[in-house]
Amino acid sequence: MVTIKTFVEGPVDANNYLIIDDESKEAVLIDCSSSRDEFINSIKAENVNLKYILLTHGHFDHLLGVDGFKDAFDNVKVFVSKDDDYQVKMLPDMLRMFGGFMSAEVPEITNFLQDGDEFNIGKTSIKVISTPGHTEGGVCYLIGDKLFSGDTLFYGSIGRCDLPGGNMKVIADSINNKLFKLQDGVDVYPGHGPKTTIGFEKKYNDIINY
């Protein structure tokens, strides 16, 4: 069994998910949008062994807290798709593009991942599903019947495709031919906004067909 805790963090209210394997107390953080003391202390209060930070993609609003978390948690490894390494390195440029409201250094990524990789926290398996389209290296993470979809699939919507690396046809293919092949009952935990299910999005998400 796993426990999922949601933290809405960062300058554009991104969802950060702490997944805890209840038996081993090993944990993974999916996306890392800030390193506020309150956020870090909330994770520490869970008394877990934070093994990994798994990024869904390389946009600034999902990784601004990486270096702060690496300082706060010993030996935590940070993963992103190799195809989004350039997105991570574009962090200062992206912040300027969005109005220069803050500045930040490029965070340290310790490892790269690819489609089909698996991670384990205790007896819990986390599978990587490559879903390019929002960015070239966008991925989702499947844990049992729970999908962490980053900015690929939202409640009633999909990720924007007008930033560098975005492609509407590619994201539609990722959703229709990968995510929508999952069972209807799979819960979807997106990078922004409320959660949904695969079945609901297959039935009602018309944006994918535009």
Side-chain angles (χ1 to χ4, degrees):
M1 295 289 291
V2 297
T3 296
I4 300 171
K5 293 185 175 289
T6 305
F7 300 87
V8 182
E9 293 288 334
V12 290
D13 291 343
N15 293 329
N16 299 245
Y17 298 104
L18 180 70
I19 295 93
I20 305 167
D21 178 79
D22 292 335
E23 182 178 346
S24 67
K25 292 300 181 181
E26 292 183 341
V28 60
L29 184 64
I30 296 180
D31 286 338
C32 190
S33 301
S34 84
S35 56
R36 294 187 310 120
D37 288 344
E38 295 87 346
F39 184 20
I40 288 175
N41 290 336
S42 293
I43 304 296
K44 288 186 172 181
E46 297 293 334
N47 293 314
V48 297
N49 173 17
L50 185 64
K51 291 183 67 177
Y52 307 117
I53 296 173
L54 302 180
L55 302 178
T56 57
H57 61 291
H59 281 163
F60 72 90
D61 54 320
H62 294 261
L63 51 71
L64 283 169
V66 162
D67 283 345
F69 264 78
K70 286 182 81 280
D71 290 340
F73 293 90
D74 292 337
N75 302 316
V76 64
K77 295 180 180 179
V78 183
F79 287 78
V80 74
S81 168
K82 177 66 174 177
D83 290 335
D84 261 16
D85 184 38
Y86 83 98
Q87 294 277 1
V88 175
K89 292 174 179 175
M90 283 175 58
L91 172 63
D93 294 331
M94 291 292 285
L95 289 172
R96 285 191 290 271
M97 183 186 304
F98 278 83
F101 60 91
M102 65 179 295
S103 60
E105 298 294 324
V106 175
E108 180 188 2
I109 304 299
T110 62
N111 301 83
F112 295 113
L113 52 75
Q114 61 186 359
D115 187 45
D117 281 353
E118 291 194 16
F119 297 86
N120 289 286
I121 48 172
K123 296 179 181 178
T124 299
S125 177
I126 304 165
K127 182 179 179 180
V128 178
I129 303 174
S130 176
T131 53
H134 177 63
T135 64
E136 292 171 337
V139 301
C140 299
Y141 299 101
L142 184 65
I143 306 175
D145 61 355
K146 304 179 189 310
L147 180 79
F148 298 84
S149 62
D151 285 6
T152 298
L153 181 64
F154 299 130
Y155 173 78
S157 189
I158 64 174
R160 62 188 294 180
C161 300
D162 59 338
L163 296 174
N167 187 301
M168 184 66 181
K169 289 184 178 179
V170 172
I171 200 172
D173 180 72
S174 292
I175 294 170
N176 285 315
N177 294 312
K178 290 190 176 180
L179 301 188
F180 282 1
K181 300 299 184 184
L182 301 174
Q183 295 295 315
D184 287 356
V186 169
D187 290 322
V188 178
Y189 294 78
H192 302 273
K195 75 174 188 176
T196 183
T197 67
I198 291 294
F200 182 90
E201 298 308 317
K202 284 168 67 175
K203 187 173 183 179
Y204 296 110
N205 194 331
D206 293 332
I207 293 177
I208 296 167
N209 298 316
Y210 287 171

